[in-house]
Amino acid sequence: MAVDYQSLAVPGVRALSPYQPGKPIEELARELGLNPSEIIKLASNENPLGPSDKAMAAARKALDEMCLYPDGNGFNLKQALCRRYGIEMDQITLGNGSNDVLEVITRCFADADSEVIYSQYAFAVYPLVAQAIGARGISVPARDWGHDLDAMADAVTDRTRLIFVANPNNPTGTVHKSDAIEAFMKRIPEEVLVVLDEAYCEYLTGDEYPDGLDLLERYPNLIVCRTFSKAWGLAALRVGYAISSPAIADILNRVRQPFNVDTVALAAATAVLDDEDYLKRSRDVNEAGLRQLEEGLDRMGLLYIPSAGNFVTVEVGEDAAGIYRSLLNRGVIVRPVAGYGMPQHLRVSVGLASENERFLEALSEAMITAGEEG
Ligand SMILES: *Cc1c(COP(=O)(O)O)cnc(C)c1O
């Protein structure tokens, strides 16, 4: 009998279903025989502005050094983060995207005997990384599509090692205000680590929302994760980071791959942190785009979950899969969220005004014809 090599994989990995990314433009262009320039992708919460000029210039310059290993300590980027956020170098763990950091955290602090808590409808990477190491993932039923923080605190047992909180959450766009997060942190035992995933924090405006870095001073069991993939517009380069107590960062830095962020990515991320104008435009375009999408969806009488991120998740009904395909046929890529247990919703990322308009038009056509297109 031939060996079944898949059966040799560790149990958590064997049962894993891979993360479903948004469909790449090139792929749809091949499938439909279209020119890639005719297709818009509003599927992965990418920055519609294109890259910052400052980031681009720094990245080009860094290419000159491509035959050298990167700075494994990411000194310049860490310095820039310290300047911007008033933190210390020894609090930072850099990652190949924040996904990498989320995985490293899980491997460092949980194992097959642990429970890892996250919310229903929360970011798919949390259950994925927990399952991969054989930990028991505890999905706590959501409230109004958002995290039920009280129920999550209630779910803590003496096996709980980690709790993931996405604020704002993807794919629902829900967000908790400072008082709610603070009340939650007060209820969590000191030896349980809370990972506050702030991938969309740059889009939050207003004092009512928490800044994980303020909380860090009072809650040493907190790890704040952030990314350059969204508001900073560097998704392809893969740069994210965790900010924590130095003790936790020391552990994370032992386990992360020494060169997990490459030279080009380090240079671009360092440069973009100085591009205040780019960040402001990212926020402005997002704010205007969110309003545009909400108004358009309101006109169509569709329900959506109010979003604090750079995307909107809209209820399109039982034929969401058909509507998704119909949008693809019109050259518009959005994100199905059936894998999140939301089979009647689609998630659309905020684009430029023209892209949002094109999505709204395509959606109103698709809502009528999806059934017929089959
Ligand atoms: C996009 C996103 C991230 C960031 O992923 P990267 O690996 O940094 O690109 C992290 N958490 C959430 C909730 C996200 O939506």
Side-chain angles (χ1 to χ4, degrees):
M1 265 281 284
V3 176
D4 174 6
Y5 286 101
Q6 295 211 333
S7 74
L8 301 181
V10 295
V13 171
R14 225 181 300 147
L16 218 54
S17 28
Y19 180 78
Q20 291 283 342
K23 195 182 206 36
I25 287 179
E26 292 285 345
E27 186 179 305
L28 183 63
R30 277 195 302 276
E31 287 169 8
L32 296 182
L34 286 177
N35 190 318
S37 65
E38 297 169 79
I39 294 171
I40 58 170
K41 182 181 176 209
L42 301 174
S44 301
N45 304 343
E46 292 145 334
N47 196 318
L49 288 175
S52 129
D53 291 340
K54 285 189 178 176
M56 191 64 122
R60 288 217 164 92
K61 192 153 163 267
L63 283 173
D64 289 340
E65 288 167 40
M66 67 160 77
C67 60
L68 304 178
Y69 277 103
D71 172 6
N73 284 320
F75 182 85
N76 290 332
L77 176 55
K78 284 187 184 171
Q79 285 268 293
L81 287 167
C82 290
R83 274 198 303 276
R84 185 172 183 98
Y85 297 116
I87 51 178
E88 301 295 330
M89 299 273 276
D90 60 4
Q91 294 183 270
I92 304 172
T93 308
L94 298 179
N96 193 250
S98 53
N99 275 281
D100 181 27
V101 181
L102 296 169
E103 203 234 330
V104 169
I105 292 168
T106 309
R107 278 201 288 137
C108 286
F109 291 103
D111 64 18
D113 295 324
S114 313
E115 291 175 357
V116 174
I117 295 174
Y118 41 80
S119 174
Q120 180 188 22
Y121 312 129
F123 191 41
V125 169
Y126 314 147
L128 216 135
V129 294
Q131 195 186 324
I133 57 148
R136 176 147 182 252
I138 307 291
S139 173
V140 175
R143 194 155 85 194
D144 299 329
W145 303 108
H147 294 29
D148 184 340
L149 293 174
D150 270 328
M152 288 174 75
D154 290 341
V156 171
T157 71
D158 53 11
R159 289 180 170 236
T160 307
R161 294 291 171 271
L162 282 177
I163 307 179
F164 287 104
V165 175
N167 204 55
N169 182 46
N170 169 24
T172 58
T174 48
V175 67
H176 283 288
K177 295 185 177 162
S178 299
D179 46 357
I181 297 284
E182 180 100 39
F184 170 74
M185 288 306 299
K186 286 206 175 104
R187 289 196 55 198
I188 304 305
E190 273 176 329
E191 60 279 359
V192 173
L193 297 183
V194 175
V195 180
L196 188 61
D197 184 346
E198 296 192 323
Y200 301 95
C201 66
E202 290 86 2
Y203 294 111
L204 294 176
T205 46
D207 304 336
E208 69 270 38
Y209 297 112
D211 176 338
L213 302 184
D214 294 339
L215 291 166
L216 206 53
E217 288 167 19
R218 269 164 290 139
Y219 300 97
N221 57 333
L222 190 67
I223 306 177
V224 178
C225 290
R226 293 184 177 175
T227 180
F228 284 91
S229 297
K230 309 286 161 56
W232 297 108
L234 299 178
L237 295 185
R238 318 301 306 125
V239 199
Y241 57 98
I243 306 173
S244 65
S245 70
I248 290 175
D250 177 48
I251 292 290
L252 300 177
N253 276 297
R254 290 182 206 178
V255 168
R256 79 174 170 89
Q257 294 292 317
F259 303 116
N260 60 345
V261 188
D262 71 64
T263 303
V264 177
L266 287 171
T270 307
V272 83
L273 278 179
D274 278 332
D275 199 344
E276 213 50 63
D277 175 59
Y278 181 80
L279 184 65
K280 182 175 184 313
R281 280 190 296 132
S282 297
R283 286 179 172 143
D284 291 348
V285 163
N286 192 58
E287 184 66 28
L290 272 179
R291 297 294 89 81
Q292 183 187 1
L293 288 172
E294 289 170 354
E295 280 166 25
L297 296 171
D298 282 338
R299 275 198 304 276
M300 292 162 66
L302 292 175
L303 293 175
Y304 51 84
I305 307 168
S307 174
N310 64 347
F311 54 89
V312 183
T313 297
V314 52
E315 191 175 333
V316 294
E318 279 175 13
D319 192 23
I323 289 165
Y324 168 67
R325 279 194 303 275
S326 176
L327 288 170
L328 288 181
N329 288 334
R330 291 171 167 79
V332 176
I333 311 175
V334 299
R335 186 68 151 270
V337 283
Y340 282 91
M342 303 174 72
Q344 309 212 5
H345 286 77
L346 293 174
R347 191 193 71 192
V348 58
S349 306
V350 174
L352 300 173
S354 56
E355 296 170 326
N356 301 328
E357 195 51 49
R358 191 165 148 206
F359 159 75
L360 289 167
E361 276 170 26
L363 180 62
S364 60
E365 290 168 18
M367 294 292 293
I368 298 165
T369 60
E372 298 153 27
E373 290 169 36

